[in-house]
Amino acid sequence: MKPFRLAVMASGNGSNFSAIQQATQDGRISGEIVCLIYDRKEAFVQERAKQAGVPSFYVSLKASGSKVAYEQQIVQILRDHQVDCVILAGYMKIVGETLLAAYEGKMLNIHPAFLPEFPGKQGILDAFNAGVSQTGVTVHLVDEGVDTGKILLQERVPVLPEDSLDSLAERIHQVEHRLYPQAIEAFLTQFEKE
């Protein structure tokens, strides 16, 4: 069977992009990243894609004029690349109806907290400020809510007494880089059976 065709959508540094790309290279994910879509012109993830030989596309919400037009551009790129599954990796926008309608049930997200605890864009900071003894990482399907989709895989991460925000974030990212490829492969294996 031919490998699954994956698209990654990101907004920032792209360390999860690199972890996923590496997992496709060494066979831990039975798919290949066929394109990257990013929404911040200065996002370092584009450099990671370039180094990996993955075509990347910058799509600007502001230049698009509306959320619908913005997501229509994204859907067109995904269709042009015959994408089977969309992987959100630090993509900092809420997915709207247009994109969701095209890829519902085929779009995964990773969140740096143990959902339903600390949803939203500041999961690490919110957990740190709450003074909890543990937080975590969650991989879930994307739905119309904010971090409310069906949970696919989770892992707890302890918050150590000596932790700074940076040291906690670093440990969470290490778990993400291991957990996300694992969750993607499990999802694709299930997807293949259906």
Side-chain angles (χ1 to χ4, degrees):
M1 199 185 102
K2 67 182 179 70
F4 286 97
R5 298 175 64 81
L6 311 176
V8 174
M9 292 178 60
S11 298
N13 178 28
S15 64
N16 272 307
F17 171 89
S18 292
I20 295 162
Q21 174 65 14
Q22 183 59 51
T24 65
Q25 297 299 300
D26 61 27
R28 288 179 290 133
I29 294 177
S30 53
E32 61 178 324
I33 300 175
V34 296
C35 65
L36 164 74
I37 297 171
Y38 63 103
D39 67 328
R40 290 187 181 158
K41 206 171 191 76
E42 71 287 350
F44 186 71
V45 69
Q46 67 180 305
E47 281 302 315
R48 293 178 187 266
K50 191 177 184 180
Q51 289 166 8
V54 173
S56 62
F57 301 88
Y58 168 65
V59 183
S60 164
L61 175 58
K62 192 174 183 181
S64 300
S66 74
K67 180 90 172 211
V68 170
Y70 166 77
E71 290 196 342
Q72 283 171 337
Q73 284 181 66
I74 292 171
V75 169
Q76 190 58 57
I77 294 165
L78 297 174
R79 289 191 175 139
D80 289 348
H81 287 81
Q82 299 170 348
V83 168
D84 298 309
C85 183
V86 179
I87 311 294
L88 305 185
Y91 177 69
M92 300 307 287
K93 286 189 173 42
I94 295 169
V95 172
E97 289 176 19
T98 304
L99 183 51
L100 195 59
Y103 281 90
E104 190 162 16
K106 300 174 189 170
M107 190 180 314
L108 283 66
N109 184 43
I110 191 158
H111 183 71
F114 200 87
L115 293 173
E117 302 163 5
F118 309 112
K121 65 180 181 178
Q122 301 184 140
I124 299 172
L125 180 64
D126 291 346
F128 186 76
N129 287 341
V132 294
S133 63
Q134 54 183 2
T135 181
V137 173
T138 303
V139 179
H140 64 93
L141 289 176
V142 176
D143 65 10
E144 65 283 347
V146 176
D147 300 323
T148 56
K150 178 185 173 193
I151 292 172
L152 302 175
L153 195 58
Q154 290 182 293
E155 186 174 313
R156 284 285 186 188
V157 176
V159 181
L160 306 175
E162 67 273 15
D163 263 333
S164 66
L165 184 59
D166 286 345
S167 66
L168 176 60
E170 179 57 37
R171 280 205 331 287
I172 285 173
H173 294 321
Q174 286 172 3
V175 172
E176 285 180 342
H177 298 162
R178 178 174 44 76
L179 202 68
Y180 212 180
Q182 202 180 323
I184 292 166
E185 179 58 19
F187 177 77
L188 293 177
T189 303
Q190 188 61 40
F191 193 65
E192 190 176 1
K193 289 176 186 169
E194 291 171 3

